Short mmCIF file of all heavy atoms in Angstrom, two decimals:
data_model
loop_
_atom_site.label_atom_id
_atom_site.label_comp_id
_atom_site.label_asym_id
_atom_site.label_seq_id
_atom_site.Cartn_x
_atom_site.Cartn_y
_atom_site.Cartn_z
N ASP A 390 36.69 56.11 12.08
CA ASP A 390 37.82 55.49 12.76
C ASP A 390 37.64 53.98 12.88
O ASP A 390 36.66 53.52 13.47
CB ASP A 390 37.94 56.13 14.15
CG ASP A 390 39.26 55.78 14.82
OD1 ASP A 390 39.90 54.80 14.40
OD2 ASP A 390 39.62 56.49 15.77
N GLY A 391 38.58 53.23 12.31
CA GLY A 391 38.45 51.77 12.28
C GLY A 391 39.21 51.05 13.39
O GLY A 391 39.54 49.88 13.24
N ASP A 392 39.49 51.72 14.49
CA ASP A 392 40.14 51.05 15.62
C ASP A 392 39.18 50.07 16.29
O ASP A 392 37.96 50.26 16.25
CB ASP A 392 40.53 52.06 16.70
CG ASP A 392 41.86 52.72 16.41
OD1 ASP A 392 42.53 52.30 15.44
OD2 ASP A 392 42.22 53.64 17.14
N TRP A 393 39.77 49.08 16.96
CA TRP A 393 39.01 48.33 17.96
C TRP A 393 39.44 48.90 19.30
O TRP A 393 40.65 48.97 19.58
CB TRP A 393 39.36 46.85 17.91
CG TRP A 393 38.81 46.12 16.73
CD1 TRP A 393 37.62 45.46 16.67
CD2 TRP A 393 39.44 45.92 15.47
NE1 TRP A 393 37.46 44.88 15.44
CE2 TRP A 393 38.56 45.15 14.67
CE3 TRP A 393 40.64 46.34 14.90
CZ2 TRP A 393 38.86 44.78 13.36
CZ3 TRP A 393 40.93 45.98 13.60
CH2 TRP A 393 40.05 45.20 12.84
N PHE A 394 38.52 49.32 20.08
CA PHE A 394 38.87 49.92 21.37
C PHE A 394 38.61 48.92 22.49
O PHE A 394 37.46 48.63 22.81
CB PHE A 394 38.04 51.17 21.63
CG PHE A 394 38.29 52.28 20.65
CD1 PHE A 394 37.56 52.36 19.48
CD2 PHE A 394 39.25 53.25 20.91
CE1 PHE A 394 37.79 53.38 18.57
CE2 PHE A 394 39.48 54.27 20.01
CZ PHE A 394 38.75 54.34 18.83
N PRO A 395 39.66 48.41 23.10
CA PRO A 395 39.46 47.46 24.20
C PRO A 395 38.77 48.13 25.39
O PRO A 395 38.73 49.36 25.46
CB PRO A 395 40.87 47.02 24.56
CG PRO A 395 41.71 47.39 23.39
CD PRO A 395 41.08 48.60 22.81
N PRO A 396 38.28 47.33 26.32
CA PRO A 396 37.59 47.91 27.47
C PRO A 396 38.44 48.94 28.19
O PRO A 396 39.65 48.74 28.37
CB PRO A 396 37.33 46.71 28.38
CG PRO A 396 37.35 45.55 27.46
CD PRO A 396 38.30 45.88 26.37
N GLN A 397 37.81 50.01 28.62
CA GLN A 397 38.57 51.14 29.12
C GLN A 397 38.84 51.09 30.61
O GLN A 397 39.41 52.00 31.17
CB GLN A 397 37.86 52.42 28.72
CG GLN A 397 37.72 52.43 27.22
CD GLN A 397 37.08 53.66 26.69
OE1 GLN A 397 36.59 54.46 27.46
NE2 GLN A 397 37.09 53.82 25.40
N THR A 398 38.38 50.00 31.22
CA THR A 398 38.75 49.81 32.62
C THR A 398 40.21 49.38 32.70
O THR A 398 40.79 49.32 33.77
CB THR A 398 37.87 48.73 33.26
OG1 THR A 398 37.74 47.65 32.34
CG2 THR A 398 36.51 49.28 33.60
N MET A 399 40.81 49.08 31.55
CA MET A 399 42.23 48.72 31.54
C MET A 399 43.08 49.94 31.88
O MET A 399 42.68 51.06 31.61
CB MET A 399 42.62 48.20 30.17
CG MET A 399 42.01 46.85 29.88
SD MET A 399 42.61 46.23 28.34
CE MET A 399 41.73 44.70 28.21
N PRO A 400 44.27 49.70 32.42
CA PRO A 400 45.11 50.82 32.84
C PRO A 400 45.41 51.76 31.67
O PRO A 400 45.54 51.31 30.54
CB PRO A 400 46.40 50.14 33.32
CG PRO A 400 46.04 48.73 33.55
CD PRO A 400 44.89 48.40 32.69
N GLY A 401 45.51 53.02 31.98
CA GLY A 401 45.92 53.97 30.94
C GLY A 401 44.79 54.72 30.30
O GLY A 401 44.99 55.81 29.77
N GLY A 402 43.58 54.16 30.36
CA GLY A 402 42.44 54.87 29.81
C GLY A 402 42.41 54.83 28.30
O GLY A 402 43.27 54.24 27.66
N PRO A 403 41.39 55.45 27.72
CA PRO A 403 41.14 55.30 26.29
C PRO A 403 42.28 55.79 25.41
O PRO A 403 42.56 55.20 24.39
CB PRO A 403 39.88 56.12 26.05
CG PRO A 403 39.69 56.96 27.24
CD PRO A 403 40.39 56.28 28.38
N GLN A 404 42.94 56.86 25.81
CA GLN A 404 43.96 57.40 24.91
C GLN A 404 45.09 56.41 24.71
O GLN A 404 45.59 56.23 23.61
CB GLN A 404 44.49 58.74 25.45
CG GLN A 404 43.47 59.86 25.39
CD GLN A 404 42.78 59.97 24.03
OE1 GLN A 404 43.38 59.73 22.99
NE2 GLN A 404 41.51 60.35 24.05
N GLN A 405 45.50 55.74 25.81
CA GLN A 405 46.59 54.79 25.68
C GLN A 405 46.26 53.65 24.74
O GLN A 405 47.11 53.15 24.02
CB GLN A 405 46.95 54.23 27.06
CG GLN A 405 47.99 53.12 26.94
CD GLN A 405 48.66 52.83 28.25
OE1 GLN A 405 48.70 53.67 29.14
NE2 GLN A 405 49.20 51.64 28.37
N TRP A 406 44.99 53.24 24.76
CA TRP A 406 44.62 52.09 23.95
C TRP A 406 44.27 52.47 22.53
O TRP A 406 44.21 51.64 21.65
CB TRP A 406 43.45 51.37 24.61
CG TRP A 406 43.88 50.71 25.87
CD1 TRP A 406 43.77 51.20 27.13
CD2 TRP A 406 44.54 49.47 25.99
NE1 TRP A 406 44.31 50.35 28.02
CE2 TRP A 406 44.79 49.25 27.35
CE3 TRP A 406 44.95 48.50 25.07
CZ2 TRP A 406 45.43 48.12 27.82
CZ3 TRP A 406 45.57 47.37 25.54
CH2 TRP A 406 45.81 47.19 26.90
N LYS A 407 44.04 53.74 22.31
CA LYS A 407 43.65 54.18 20.97
C LYS A 407 44.76 53.80 19.99
O LYS A 407 45.93 54.05 20.24
CB LYS A 407 43.43 55.68 20.98
CG LYS A 407 42.79 56.20 19.71
CD LYS A 407 42.36 57.64 19.91
CE LYS A 407 42.24 58.39 18.61
NZ LYS A 407 41.44 57.71 17.59
N GLY A 408 44.40 53.18 18.92
CA GLY A 408 45.39 52.84 17.91
C GLY A 408 46.05 51.49 18.13
O GLY A 408 46.73 50.99 17.24
N MET A 409 45.85 50.89 19.31
CA MET A 409 46.51 49.62 19.60
C MET A 409 46.22 48.57 18.54
O MET A 409 47.08 47.80 18.17
CB MET A 409 45.99 49.07 20.94
CG MET A 409 46.75 49.54 22.15
SD MET A 409 48.45 49.02 22.13
CE MET A 409 48.28 47.28 22.53
N GLU A 410 44.97 48.53 18.12
CA GLU A 410 44.60 47.44 17.22
C GLU A 410 44.35 47.94 15.81
O GLU A 410 43.75 47.26 15.01
CB GLU A 410 43.34 46.76 17.75
CG GLU A 410 43.59 45.95 18.99
CD GLU A 410 43.00 44.56 18.87
OE1 GLU A 410 42.18 44.35 17.98
OE2 GLU A 410 43.39 43.70 19.66
N LYS A 411 44.80 49.11 15.54
CA LYS A 411 44.48 49.68 14.23
C LYS A 411 45.10 48.82 13.13
O LYS A 411 46.28 48.50 13.17
CB LYS A 411 45.02 51.10 14.13
CG LYS A 411 44.43 51.84 12.98
CD LYS A 411 44.75 53.32 13.06
CE LYS A 411 43.60 54.10 12.49
NZ LYS A 411 43.14 55.15 13.30
N ARG A 412 44.30 48.48 12.21
CA ARG A 412 44.82 47.71 11.08
C ARG A 412 45.47 48.69 10.10
O ARG A 412 45.00 49.81 9.94
CB ARG A 412 43.68 47.00 10.40
CG ARG A 412 44.15 46.17 9.25
CD ARG A 412 42.99 45.68 8.46
NE ARG A 412 42.25 44.67 9.20
CZ ARG A 412 41.05 44.27 8.82
NH1 ARG A 412 40.46 44.82 7.80
NH2 ARG A 412 40.42 43.34 9.50
N ARG A 413 46.54 48.23 9.49
CA ARG A 413 47.21 49.09 8.51
C ARG A 413 46.35 49.16 7.24
O ARG A 413 46.58 48.43 6.29
CB ARG A 413 48.59 48.54 8.18
CG ARG A 413 49.59 48.72 9.30
CD ARG A 413 50.95 48.18 8.92
NE ARG A 413 50.88 46.76 8.57
CZ ARG A 413 50.95 46.30 7.33
NH1 ARG A 413 51.10 47.11 6.32
NH2 ARG A 413 50.90 45.01 7.11
N ASP A 414 45.34 49.98 7.31
CA ASP A 414 44.50 50.09 6.12
C ASP A 414 45.28 50.82 5.03
O ASP A 414 46.00 51.77 5.30
CB ASP A 414 43.21 50.86 6.43
CG ASP A 414 42.16 49.92 6.98
OD1 ASP A 414 42.17 48.74 6.59
OD2 ASP A 414 41.34 50.38 7.79
N GLN A 415 45.08 50.34 3.80
CA GLN A 415 45.82 50.97 2.71
C GLN A 415 45.32 52.37 2.48
O GLN A 415 44.15 52.66 2.66
CB GLN A 415 45.59 50.17 1.42
CG GLN A 415 46.05 48.76 1.51
CD GLN A 415 45.09 47.87 0.73
OE1 GLN A 415 43.88 47.86 1.00
NE2 GLN A 415 45.62 47.16 -0.22
N ARG A 416 46.22 53.21 2.07
CA ARG A 416 45.81 54.55 1.67
C ARG A 416 44.89 54.47 0.46
O ARG A 416 45.04 53.60 -0.37
CB ARG A 416 47.04 55.36 1.29
CG ARG A 416 47.53 56.13 2.48
CD ARG A 416 48.58 57.09 2.11
NE ARG A 416 49.49 57.15 3.24
CZ ARG A 416 50.70 57.64 3.18
NH1 ARG A 416 51.16 58.11 2.06
NH2 ARG A 416 51.44 57.66 4.24
N ARG A 417 44.00 55.37 0.41
CA ARG A 417 43.03 55.49 -0.69
C ARG A 417 42.09 54.29 -0.74
O ARG A 417 41.34 54.14 -1.67
CB ARG A 417 43.73 55.68 -2.04
CG ARG A 417 44.49 56.99 -2.14
CD ARG A 417 44.91 57.28 -3.55
NE ARG A 417 45.81 56.28 -4.09
CZ ARG A 417 47.12 56.27 -3.86
NH1 ARG A 417 47.68 57.21 -3.15
NH2 ARG A 417 47.86 55.32 -4.37
N LYS A 418 42.17 53.42 0.23
CA LYS A 418 41.22 52.30 0.24
C LYS A 418 39.84 52.84 0.57
O LYS A 418 39.70 53.65 1.49
CB LYS A 418 41.65 51.28 1.30
CG LYS A 418 40.72 50.09 1.40
CD LYS A 418 41.30 49.01 2.30
CE LYS A 418 40.29 47.94 2.64
NZ LYS A 418 39.73 47.26 1.46
N SER A 419 38.85 52.41 -0.18
CA SER A 419 37.52 52.95 0.10
C SER A 419 36.42 51.92 -0.06
O SER A 419 35.25 52.28 -0.10
CB SER A 419 37.25 54.16 -0.80
OG SER A 419 37.17 53.73 -2.14
N VAL A 420 36.77 50.64 -0.13
CA VAL A 420 35.74 49.61 -0.19
C VAL A 420 36.12 48.49 0.78
O VAL A 420 37.27 48.04 0.80
CB VAL A 420 35.61 49.02 -1.62
CG1 VAL A 420 34.53 47.94 -1.65
CG2 VAL A 420 35.29 50.11 -2.63
N TRP A 421 35.17 48.08 1.59
CA TRP A 421 35.37 46.95 2.50
C TRP A 421 34.15 46.05 2.41
O TRP A 421 33.02 46.55 2.29
CB TRP A 421 35.47 47.41 3.96
CG TRP A 421 36.63 48.29 4.29
CD1 TRP A 421 37.81 47.90 4.85
CD2 TRP A 421 36.71 49.71 4.13
NE1 TRP A 421 38.62 49.00 5.03
CE2 TRP A 421 37.98 50.12 4.60
CE3 TRP A 421 35.83 50.67 3.62
CZ2 TRP A 421 38.39 51.45 4.58
CZ3 TRP A 421 36.24 51.99 3.58
CH2 TRP A 421 37.51 52.37 4.07
N ILE A 422 34.37 44.75 2.48
CA ILE A 422 33.26 43.80 2.47
C ILE A 422 33.50 42.77 3.57
O ILE A 422 34.59 42.21 3.68
CB ILE A 422 33.14 43.08 1.10
CG1 ILE A 422 32.87 44.10 -0.01
CG2 ILE A 422 32.01 42.05 1.13
CD1 ILE A 422 32.93 43.51 -1.41
N PHE A 423 32.48 42.57 4.37
CA PHE A 423 32.59 41.59 5.46
C PHE A 423 31.40 40.64 5.42
O PHE A 423 30.30 41.06 5.04
CB PHE A 423 32.59 42.29 6.83
CG PHE A 423 33.71 43.29 6.98
CD1 PHE A 423 33.47 44.65 6.74
CD2 PHE A 423 34.98 42.88 7.32
CE1 PHE A 423 34.50 45.57 6.86
CE2 PHE A 423 36.01 43.80 7.45
CZ PHE A 423 35.78 45.14 7.21
N THR A 424 31.62 39.39 5.81
CA THR A 424 30.46 38.50 6.08
C THR A 424 30.13 38.73 7.55
O THR A 424 30.70 38.10 8.43
CB THR A 424 30.79 37.00 5.88
OG1 THR A 424 32.06 36.75 6.46
CG2 THR A 424 30.76 36.60 4.45
N ILE A 425 29.23 39.62 7.77
CA ILE A 425 29.03 40.15 9.11
C ILE A 425 28.40 39.13 10.05
O ILE A 425 28.57 39.20 11.26
CB ILE A 425 28.26 41.49 9.03
CG1 ILE A 425 28.74 42.42 10.12
CG2 ILE A 425 26.78 41.30 9.02
CD1 ILE A 425 30.12 42.97 9.89
N THR A 426 27.66 38.17 9.51
CA THR A 426 27.06 37.16 10.38
C THR A 426 28.14 36.27 10.99
O THR A 426 28.09 35.94 12.18
CB THR A 426 26.04 36.30 9.60
OG1 THR A 426 26.58 36.04 8.31
CG2 THR A 426 24.71 36.98 9.47
N ALA A 427 29.14 35.91 10.19
CA ALA A 427 30.22 35.06 10.70
C ALA A 427 31.31 35.88 11.35
O ALA A 427 32.07 35.39 12.18
CB ALA A 427 30.81 34.23 9.55
N ASP A 428 31.38 37.15 10.98
CA ASP A 428 32.49 38.00 11.43
C ASP A 428 31.92 39.33 11.93
O ASP A 428 32.04 40.36 11.27
CB ASP A 428 33.44 38.22 10.23
CG ASP A 428 34.52 39.24 10.52
OD1 ASP A 428 34.88 39.44 11.70
OD2 ASP A 428 35.01 39.86 9.55
N PRO A 429 31.24 39.32 13.07
CA PRO A 429 30.58 40.55 13.53
C PRO A 429 31.56 41.65 13.95
O PRO A 429 31.12 42.75 14.27
CB PRO A 429 29.74 40.07 14.72
CG PRO A 429 30.37 38.81 15.17
CD PRO A 429 31.01 38.19 13.99
N TYR A 430 32.83 41.34 13.94
CA TYR A 430 33.80 42.33 14.41
C TYR A 430 34.50 43.07 13.26
O TYR A 430 35.50 43.74 13.49
CB TYR A 430 34.85 41.63 15.30
CG TYR A 430 34.21 40.73 16.34
CD1 TYR A 430 34.66 39.44 16.53
CD2 TYR A 430 33.12 41.18 17.09
CE1 TYR A 430 34.04 38.60 17.46
CE2 TYR A 430 32.51 40.34 18.01
CZ TYR A 430 32.97 39.07 18.19
OH TYR A 430 32.35 38.25 19.10
N ASP A 431 33.97 42.95 12.06
CA ASP A 431 34.57 43.61 10.88
C ASP A 431 36.06 43.30 10.77
O ASP A 431 36.89 44.20 10.59
CB ASP A 431 34.41 45.15 10.95
CG ASP A 431 32.99 45.67 10.97
OD1 ASP A 431 32.20 45.29 10.11
OD2 ASP A 431 32.68 46.49 11.87
N ARG A 432 36.42 42.02 10.89
CA ARG A 432 37.85 41.68 10.89
C ARG A 432 38.37 41.30 9.51
O ARG A 432 39.37 41.81 9.05
CB ARG A 432 38.08 40.48 11.83
CG ARG A 432 37.72 40.75 13.26
CD ARG A 432 38.93 41.14 14.06
NE ARG A 432 38.66 41.15 15.49
CZ ARG A 432 39.38 41.84 16.36
NH1 ARG A 432 40.37 42.59 15.95
NH2 ARG A 432 39.11 41.80 17.63
N ALA A 433 37.70 40.32 8.88
CA ALA A 433 38.24 39.76 7.64
C ALA A 433 37.60 40.43 6.44
O ALA A 433 36.47 40.16 6.07
CB ALA A 433 37.98 38.26 7.62
N ASP A 434 38.37 41.31 5.82
CA ASP A 434 37.86 42.15 4.74
C ASP A 434 38.03 41.43 3.40
O ASP A 434 39.14 41.17 2.97
CB ASP A 434 38.63 43.47 4.77
CG ASP A 434 38.27 44.36 3.60
OD1 ASP A 434 37.24 44.11 2.95
OD2 ASP A 434 39.04 45.31 3.35
N PHE A 435 36.91 41.15 2.75
CA PHE A 435 36.98 40.45 1.46
C PHE A 435 37.29 41.39 0.31
O PHE A 435 37.48 40.95 -0.81
CB PHE A 435 35.66 39.71 1.20
CG PHE A 435 35.54 38.45 1.98
CD1 PHE A 435 35.07 38.47 3.29
CD2 PHE A 435 35.94 37.24 1.43
CE1 PHE A 435 34.99 37.31 4.03
CE2 PHE A 435 35.87 36.08 2.17
CZ PHE A 435 35.39 36.11 3.47
N ALA A 436 37.33 42.66 0.58
CA ALA A 436 37.67 43.59 -0.50
C ALA A 436 39.19 43.70 -0.68
O ALA A 436 39.65 44.39 -1.56
CB ALA A 436 37.07 44.97 -0.22
#
Side-chain angles (χ1 to χ4, degrees):
D390 192 341
D392 276 353
W393 287 268
F394 295 89
Q397 302 182 352
T398 42
M399 290 185 181
Q404 291 311 326
Q405 173 163 337
W406 291 96
K407 190 169 157 50
M409 272 297 286
E410 288 229 344
K411 195 168 213 130
R412 181 190 289 168
R413 288 181 302 105
D414 274 330
Q415 300 143 304
R416 266 189 214 164
R417 295 192 298 277
K418 179 171 169 58
S419 66
V420 180
W421 296 262
I422 298 172
F423 302 97
T424 43
I425 214 71
T426 40
D428 172 26
Y430 312 132
D431 298 308
R432 298 263 192 202
D434 175 16
F435 283 85

